Amino acid sequence: MDFFAPVLDGFGTVMDPTNLLYCLVGVVIGMLVGVLPGLGPAATIAILLPLTYGIEPVTAIIMLAGIFYGAQYGGTITSVLLRLPGEASSVVTVFDGYVMAKQGRAGTALGIAAIGSFAGATVSIIGLTFLAPLVASFALDFGPPEYAALALLGILLVATISGASKIKAIIAAAVGLLLATVGRDIFTGAERFTFGNLSMADGIDFAPLAMGLFGIGEILYNLEDRHRAVSAPIKVKRVWPSGKDIKQAAPAMGRGSLLGFFLGILPGGGATISSLVSYAVEKKVAKDPSRFGKGAIEGVAGPETANNAAATSSFIPLLTLGIPANGTMAIIFGALLIQGITPGPQLIGNDPELFWGVVNSMYIGNILLLLMAIPLVGVFIRILRIRAAILAPITVLITMLGAYTIRNSIFDVFLVVVFGALGYVMKKFGFEPGPLVLAFVLGSLLESNLRRSLLVLEGDLGGFFTRPISASLLIVFVIVALWPMLKSFIDKRKTNTLAVQVETEKEKV
């Protein structure tokens, strides 16, 4: 009963009318963001960061979490009806979802996506409820050396697992680490990279960085891509799938739930990778793989279930270890810090109302998504017809006003413009902003804990390997760092061995 008492109290927190309202607002905004191609939950959360200053921490995070998992389903609507993924995690849904729509089964595809999204999220929330406290209790043994090793591993994993070029991801992460050092040294008080500017003395604030890179940068990049024509949406006839459709899709939903849950926990994993892996698995286990790409319902059910499960489970490393698993989690991490809350092992014990309130709000949010998914399709399709030339200036204006109101600082507005230009250039040349933001967030954690560790260990780096947890994390770090070279060496050995076998066979002949 000791375990379930705070869980039940968390439901009491969620059922507060204000929290329920913001949960509804979050999932509706999330669906809207998913429908609008290019904007994405990370950019939206970054733009809305200033709004979180005036509301309670638990209410703010419930809303931001709703935006994140709500966007996963919103992207499905345009993928199925317009062959235009609203979210990166919905790209795979286009393969079979759009074909189903052309076959007159658009309602079936959307219905299966809604049911799968709900099932995957629910399984993931249950896993989060039971696994998060175990991870947090284990992490209570963490000291500065363990946190330093964990932050280092998190930065490397995100940089190397990123969907972009590994070299570009590492460069972006290095820039993020450099930006994290700007400001006064926390130990000596010396100013670093401030160039004599007093506004830089306290370091670069997270909000202008995120709002510029994800908000302004994305808007500029997508305005350049306005030539993408949006065709007339396919009409939705029968809304819900039949019992036969659900029976056929159920195994894919089960596999997608488990895949999404475990891949979402991994740094750099997240909804996009989970949907891709799920589609590949479904095609592999299918009796007739040739059906995929021709309207296979499993090609919609598996990926849609997996991306929602991953969106939920990615909260585990954030809330229990203080390590964001992806770019959007880094934005939510920043929102928590803005509210004066430090995610980590102590969060469950020190602020159970917030922790269980956020976790349990996901049950309510996913029920709301299931109920609203189909009825709001027509509304979202009409919104798609609004020209980017109208939406973009309004979004930029809101972003700039938000940046100014955080600290009533013109300098913050200037930073948003600078980072917006940087975000545009990065996207233009194939650099993802995610690794930069993650490295920026983890950079201060890495530096402070590394220097505390060296003080405790009296400058002996070998001390990291005398502590079991930090030693294990550093060994994993070395393996991940060297894996590309090891894989290349193994592949080369296999190729040489195969060549020798071929030559031997020729000589025998």
Side-chain angles (χ1 to χ4, degrees), residues 26-27 29-35 40-41 66-76 86-87 89-90 369:
V27 295
I29 292 175
M31 289 183 70
L32 175 60
V33 166
V35 167
I67 293 172
F68 181 44
Y69 57 79
Q72 307 308 318
Y73 184 76
T76 308
E87 273 299 297
S89 59
S90 299
L369 279 172

Side-chain angles (χ1 to χ4, degrees), residues 21-22 44 91 147 171 181 194 229 233 237 306 334 403 426 479 509:
L21 175 62
Y22 275 92
T44 305
V91 169
Y147 271 112
I171 292 171
T181 63
T194 62
K237 297 177 182 177
M426 288 178 69
I479 292 171
V509 173

Side-chain angles (χ1 to χ4, degrees), residues 265-298:
I265 296 172
L266 299 175
T272 303
I273 290 178
S274 299
S275 62
L276 290 168
V277 171
S278 176
Y279 190 83
V281 168
E282 292 310 314
K283 195 171 182 180
K284 189 79 173 175
V285 302
K287 292 180 181 178
D288 182 14
S290 63
R291 292 172 48 246
F292 284 77
K294 299 176 182 177
I297 197 167
E298 301 95 319

